[in-house]
Amino acid sequence: MDWSWKRIPAEFLVTNVRLCTQGKLGKRKGFLHVRKGRIEGLGVGSPTMEGLPVLDGAGLVCAPGFVDLHVHFREPGQEEKETVATGSLAAAAGGFTSVVTMPNTSPAIDNSGMVRYLIDRGRDAGLCRIFPTGAISPGRQGEAMCEFGDMVAAGAVGFTDDGSPVPNGNLMANALKYAGMLGVPIISHAEDLTIVGNGVMHAGYWSARLGLAGMARASEDSSTFRDIELARASGGHLHVAHVSTRGAVEIIRRAKSEGVHVTAEATPHHFSLDHSRCREYSPLFKMNPPLRESEDVNAVAEGLADGTLDCIATDHAPHTATEKEYQFDQAPFGVTGLETALGVGITYLVNSGVMDLGRLVELMTEKPARALNLPVGRLEEGAEADFVLFDPEKEWVVRAEGFKSRSRNSSYLGEKLSGKVAATFMRGRLTWLDPELAPRGED
Ligand SMILES: [Zn+2]
């Protein structure tokens, strides 16, 4: 039976692909057998199953759908930047089938009704699994604690006041204790507001040269240290978001070796770009934590390679074009990341020799899923058929008009990247198809 992209059958074979799972890229061509939304089988070679439609994936890698532990979909409250639907499409275009949303919307996701609302919006869009986190404190005010139990029952996978730190150490200690009892992590946005003050970029040579207020590493280092010590004392699970300093990597490395229950993530921009990118005062390089120095960039990349940092997360933070046209010090923090993550990973980590492709894919699939206990991220028999087909060698130039996100505030505009997603499937259903890279078949 001929393959047709118009109607994806309930049962089909993907053949001629290199399977990439459990940290390894298969050397020989293999296949994936999908049936009724699940993986019926996979392996090397090409089975003959008469009558089954065959999708010929020659030249493509077949990996589990990517998992992103850190996205901002802006709904409710800032739908002009992104919605759950547009964010889900951006995720699918980037090869992601599961994302964890941050609760700093307006209003914040700080009760079980809001958690259910987000899950419903994700289901309506139908392009990506949405795993919401809830706020630690009502309104993210940093004072009291939300109803964690209700929110976990509604589907929250962790708690965070991300966008802001939790300055009150006693609240953080209690949050770690209660979340730990419920089996979910507290996600730390490690920042000391009394240290960063009104800083807008990393404090160093370039902030001095450009005359912009700096954000010292000590802010992130000391906050990471505090939260790790609170996790050690409570026995709770701390997940450190967007690690950007050499010092924080070192602190996490030591804590792990001492048995503290800590996991951590790093963003593509923090393992690829340094603070010199701010030299033209472009707000497309303004984010929090900021781009730091090359030794930090290298430490983050090494941390990902050696497992100190568990996974890659994009911190996809859409903003309107108007906002990103403000002067550097007035513009909001944050850049998009879902649609460039694979290309940035391959270009800056694989092609530069920091790690192999199998490891990169593991850092975008199984590792993030395991860090937050999400039941996704693996290609195995019986699992739901969330998978991505991509060409690791395809070179492309990042263009604003190519983005599916409602926002275009990417740090990589105009840059040439290697590695592009051809098609994304969730539960055996097509969620994204790149017209140029689509494997053959009737369209
Ligand atoms: Zn944050």
Side-chain angles (χ1 to χ4, degrees):
M1 220 156 104
D2 283 340
W3 178 264
S4 164
W5 287 106
K6 273 193 196 129
R7 247 188 113 210
I8 306 297
E11 184 171 5
F12 59 94
L13 284 174
V14 185
T15 60
N16 268 326
V17 287
R18 294 176 75 190
L19 294 171
C20 192
T21 181
Q22 294 178 348
K24 292 203 169 49
L25 175 65
K27 288 194 175 68
R28 293 166 55 200
K29 296 274 183 68
F31 73 94
L32 189 70
H33 178 186
V34 177
R35 186 166 178 270
K36 291 187 178 166
R38 291 190 177 270
I39 298 173
E40 183 82 3
L42 72 169
V44 291
S46 167
T48 42
M49 286 181 212
E50 296 210 356
L52 271 197
V54 173
L55 166 56
D56 184 346
L60 301 175
V61 171
C62 177
F66 302 147
V67 180
D68 190 347
L69 298 188
H70 198 129
V71 304
H72 297 273
F73 278 179
R74 308 300 190 199
E75 188 177 349
Q78 293 185 303
E79 286 85 352
E80 71 281 8
K81 301 182 188 213
E82 196 82 287
T83 63
V84 172
T86 61
S88 295
L89 180 59
F96 291 88
T97 51
S98 296
V99 300
V100 173
T101 54
M102 294 295 114
N104 63 333
T105 48
S106 29
I109 310 302
D110 60 5
N111 62 69
S112 56
M114 295 293 285
V115 171
R116 274 192 289 269
Y117 165 80
L118 267 188
I119 291 171
D120 287 347
R121 296 291 291 131
R123 219 168 264 155
D124 291 346
L127 294 169
C128 185
R129 297 171 196 262
I130 305 287
F131 294 99
T133 54
I136 291 173
S137 57
R140 298 170 53 249
Q141 294 297 305
E143 284 156 16
M145 205 161 66
C146 292
E147 295 285 352
F148 285 4
D150 287 357
M151 292 164 79
V152 168
V157 298
F159 296 95
T160 178
D161 276 356
D162 183 55
S164 313
V166 178
N168 182 334
N170 187 50
L171 174 62
M172 192 65 160
N174 286 328
L176 277 159
K177 193 159 69 190
Y178 286 110
M181 285 160 51
L182 295 164
V184 297
I186 291 294
I187 300 170
S188 166
H189 168 110
E191 182 179 27
D192 184 327
L193 300 174
T194 63
I195 296 176
V196 297
N198 55 0
V200 292
M201 68 174 289
H202 172 67
Y205 172 84
W206 282 103
S207 62
R209 175 100 189 254
L210 298 170
L212 293 170
M215 307 162 84
R217 287 190 185 102
S219 157
E220 181 171 339
D221 295 352
S222 61
S223 304
T224 303
F225 187 81
R226 183 202 73 169
D227 288 348
I228 281 178
E229 291 311 309
L230 293 174
R232 189 199 307 269
S234 66
H237 173 193
L238 180 75
H239 179 78
V240 186
H242 42 53
V243 174
S244 76
T245 65
R246 185 186 57 169
V249 173
E250 201 43 56
I251 290 163
I252 292 164
R253 184 174 285 131
R254 202 183 72 199
K256 281 190 164 181
S257 76
E258 293 166 350
V260 180
H261 192 181
V262 55
T263 53
E265 70 192 30
T267 72
H269 45 271
H270 288 119
F271 65 66
S272 61
L273 308 174
D274 72 23
H275 62 158
S276 68
R277 298 291 181 126
C278 302
R279 56 165 38 116
E280 314 285 344
Y281 294 95
S282 167
L284 294 177
F285 300 97
K286 179 178 179 181
M287 65 289 278
N288 185 12
L291 298 180
R292 300 205 187 262
E293 302 184 21
S294 57
E295 61 191 37
D296 300 289
V297 175
N298 294 337
V300 168
E302 280 161 29
L304 285 167
D306 72 16
T308 301
L309 306 178
D310 296 79
C311 59
I312 293 169
T314 66
D315 197 1
H316 178 81
H319 290 295
T320 61
T322 324
E323 289 172 298
K324 280 293 189 179
E325 277 160 14
Y326 296 162
Q327 286 186 40
F328 194 96
D329 54 349
Q330 303 294 319
F333 290 102
V335 292
T336 58
L338 285 166
E339 296 170 76
T340 48
L342 175 70
V344 173
I346 291 178
T347 306
Y348 286 90
L349 294 178
V350 178
N351 293 354
S352 66
V354 176
M355 63 182 67
D356 62 23
L357 186 60
R359 174 67 181 162
L360 173 71
V361 166
E362 188 180 31
L363 290 168
M364 296 176 72
T365 56
E366 295 174 52
K367 293 293 183 183
R370 197 176 305 161
L372 256 59
N373 271 320
L374 309 179
V376 293
R378 293 172 76 94
L379 280 185
E380 60 191 7
E381 247 179 73
E384 291 199 279
D386 290 9
F387 63 97
V388 56
L389 300 172
F390 67 86
D391 179 346
E393 279 153 27
K394 172 71 183 177
E395 293 193 330
W396 59 291
V397 176
V398 181
R399 302 257 181 244
E401 54 275 18
F403 285 124
K404 298 300 157 193
S405 166
R406 186 162 280 179
S407 296
R408 283 98 197 271
N409 52 308
S410 164
S411 297
Y412 302 94
L413 288 174
E415 199 172 315
K416 189 194 274 182
L417 299 176
S418 287
K420 201 162 197 285
V421 172
T424 309
F425 289 79
M426 181 180 72
R427 295 191 184 95
R429 284 178 35 246
L430 184 70
T431 54
W432 171 252
L433 181 64
D434 183 309
E436 196 193 333
L437 283 177
R440 66 171 176 267
E442 300 165 37
D443 54 9

